[in-house]
Amino acid sequence: MAVVATGMVAAILFHFVAHPSQGDEAPAHTRSVLLAVLAIAMTYYGYLGFRRSFDREPQLVIDSDGILLGFGRNRRFAWRDVEWVRLRRLAFRPQLQIALTPDAFVAANLALSMWNLDDGLRPVRGTPAAVLVRDNGLDTSARAMLDAVRAFRPNLVKT
């Protein structure tokens, strides 16, 4: 994704270089403003992609001490802070839902995105203190993550 985003920014810059006559009216022209906004967004996503590609820290660790959520937040939740864990599917992709105690959720300040853009963590609709972990790009599948929770705390697994 980072390479695609960078390529899109290069295409936008090439467009402005190849058609300099449209550059004269850039601030007022709707198309130019739209292209500039898209270039800023793609630059941001390219930056995120390149930064994450060099980050080799595990994004989710489930062990005897609890659950560690990476994704740039690096918050550990002890097993006493986890209310339940379940596996849900969104289209074909399984996703792990982790419900936390309200106090632990607020104290962690996970800064979940309201728009769910380019993030492995999402809020769970209808459950105020739950986090959805997408396994897109992770080295461990959601099924394996659920099995790890089941190995340490089988009473927390909810169907």
Side-chain angles (χ1 to χ4, degrees), residues 96-113:
L96 191 71
Q97 293 180 345
I98 303 170
L100 304 167
T101 61
D103 294 337
F105 185 80
V106 171
N109 190 19
L110 293 174
L112 299 175
S113 173

Side-chain angles (χ1 to χ4, degrees), residues 70-152:
F71 303 99
R73 294 161 179 95
N74 301 324
R75 301 286 193 263
R76 177 170 284 282
F77 297 100
W79 288 116
R80 69 179 175 279
D81 296 331
V82 179
E83 290 184 350
W84 53 260
V85 178
R86 71 178 167 198
L87 192 66
R88 290 287 180 204
R89 290 196 178 276
L90 178 65
F92 295 111
R93 300 296 302 190
Q95 300 176 343
L96 191 71
Q97 293 180 345
I98 303 170
L100 304 167
T101 61
D103 294 337
F105 185 80
V106 171
N109 190 19
L110 293 174
L112 299 175
S113 173
M114 182 172 37
W115 296 295
N116 302 325
L117 296 174
D118 195 36
D119 197 357
L121 294 180
R122 291 178 151 175
V124 177
R125 211 175 300 168
T127 309
V131 176
L132 180 119
V133 179
R134 297 178 2 189
D135 71 348
N136 300 1
L138 296 181
D139 58 351
T140 307
S141 69
R143 173 69 60 191
M145 290 184 260
L146 184 67
D147 291 341
V149 170
R150 193 173 279 135
F152 291 107

Side-chain angles (χ1 to χ4, degrees), residues 14-81:
F14 177 74
H15 173 76
F16 280 122
V17 169
H19 305 288
S21 62
Q22 292 179 356
D24 297 338
E25 54 195 59
H29 197 265
T30 306
R31 185 174 21 163
S32 298
V33 172
L34 177 63
L35 287 175
V37 169
L38 289 174
I40 291 169
M42 290 298 107
T43 302
Y44 172 71
Y45 285 120
Y47 165 74
L48 281 180
F50 283 119
R51 191 184 78 191
R52 288 179 185 171
S53 68
F54 294 111
D55 181 13
R56 295 297 175 202
E57 294 292 321
Q59 300 303 309
L60 184 80
V61 176
I62 300 171
D63 57 16
S64 60
D65 296 329
I67 298 174
L68 172 73
L69 295 177
F71 303 99
R73 294 161 179 95
N74 301 324
R75 301 286 193 263
R76 177 170 284 282
F77 297 100
W79 288 116
R80 69 179 175 279
D81 296 331

